[in-house]
Amino acid sequence: MSGCGKVKAWQVPLRLVTGAFILHSGMEKWDGPDEQAQGVHGMARQTFPFLENIDAPRFLKLLAAGEIALGAALLTPMVPTRLAGAALTGFAGSLMAVYAQTPGLRKEGSVWPTPDGIGVSKDSWLLAIGLALTLSPHQKHHKHVKHIKHAQHVKHVKHAKGHGGCHKHHCHHEQGGHPGHHGHLKQAKLVAREAKEAKRLAKDVSPDGHSHHHAHRHGPGHARKGCPAHH
């Protein structure tokens, strides 16, 4: 049942057990004797007076057909769970109404059953199962929410990778792949230092074209004897 994608794993035992039980009950009622028809019809018409206009054998036949249809719907995976659950809730609710209105099934002033009402009181479990199936999350909505969460996760991962690439690109700029902000500052300082050095050297050059540093290193005689600039 879970392979078709319409029934979740936790819904399988609920639909399987209740569906099989109700289907079997309906098949047994289909050819039930007149005594059974009279007993079931008598309990039902006390709660639903309009059933007096239907004779007992026909009512039993209609009840059997309804139970067979409901059991088959619960056992068929293609039937949406919420639809099957709503049908089960309506069926079980009518059984509980019979339990509440039929004298002798409940202890006086109590919701608890008498020995004769135990069998009918257990239909409250069917009501609980029907409500659980009816209130289960819609399959398409669940898939849509899951798809949105997956898309948000993928977007977050891509965004994180993009920031990582920008960080690497920024580091590459600063480490030599591209000057970057810090690289421009370093180049500006280097140019300023070279300009300052050139200015200092210009001041050290004497009017005859030799620097004071050159004369100090080789002596005054060197400038007159060996230096090509004095010839």
Side-chain angles (χ1 to χ4, degrees):
M1 293 178 69
S2 59
C4 67
K6 290 181 177 294
V7 182
K8 298 180 181 179
W10 68 269
Q11 298 168 348
V12 172
L14 301 183
R15 294 187 61 165
L16 184 62
V17 173
T18 56
F21 180 85
I22 295 173
L23 178 62
H24 179 263
S25 176
M27 293 177 65
E28 284 193 334
K29 288 184 176 70
W30 185 259
D31 293 323
D34 290 341
E35 294 79 7
Q36 184 183 14
Q38 293 295 334
V40 174
H41 184 256
M43 292 178 61
R45 68 185 181 183
Q46 290 183 14
T47 305
F48 307 104
F50 65 90
L51 294 178
E52 293 181 359
N53 299 326
I54 303 175
D55 59 339
R58 184 186 177 191
F59 172 75
L60 186 64
K61 216 66 162 176
L62 292 174
L63 179 60
E67 289 184 349
I68 291 173
L70 177 58
L74 287 166
L75 293 173
T76 303
M78 284 71 72
V79 177
T81 296
R82 297 179 72 180
L83 178 61
L88 178 60
T89 300
F91 174 73
S94 64
L95 294 178
M96 293 309 299
V98 172
Y99 170 74
Q101 296 294 327
T102 303
L105 297 183
R106 295 183 298 111
K107 295 178 181 179
E108 187 175 355
S110 174
V111 298
W112 302 112
T114 62
D116 294 335
I118 291 178
V120 182
S121 67
K122 290 181 180 179
D123 292 331
S124 59
W125 301 347
L126 296 179
L127 180 61
I129 293 172
L131 290 173
L133 296 176
T134 304
L135 298 176
S136 61
H138 197 276
Q139 190 74 7
K140 291 184 178 180
H141 175 72
H142 177 71
K143 288 183 178 180
H144 181 64
V145 171
K146 187 176 181 180
H147 177 71
I148 291 177
K149 289 184 177 180
H150 177 70
Q152 290 177 345
H153 175 71
V154 172
K155 184 178 180 181
H156 177 72
V157 171
K158 289 183 177 179
H159 183 69
K161 288 183 178 179
H163 274 290
C166 291
H167 178 69
K168 291 180 179 178
H169 184 64
H170 181 68
C171 292
H172 176 67
H173 281 3
E174 292 186 356
Q175 291 176 0
H178 193 277
H181 179 67
H182 293 286
H184 286 304
L185 290 177
K186 185 180 291 186
Q187 288 183 358
K189 291 181 179 179
L190 181 61
V191 171
R193 192 181 305 118
E194 291 177 351
K196 186 176 181 180
E197 182 68 16
K199 187 176 181 181
R200 185 183 66 79
L201 291 175
K203 289 182 179 180
D204 290 341
V205 176
S206 61
D208 56 2
H210 285 77
S211 66
H212 296 290
H213 175 72
H214 183 78
H216 176 73
R217 182 179 178 183
H218 298 284
H222 174 78
R224 289 189 292 268
K225 295 178 180 179
C227 184
H230 292 275
H231 296 286

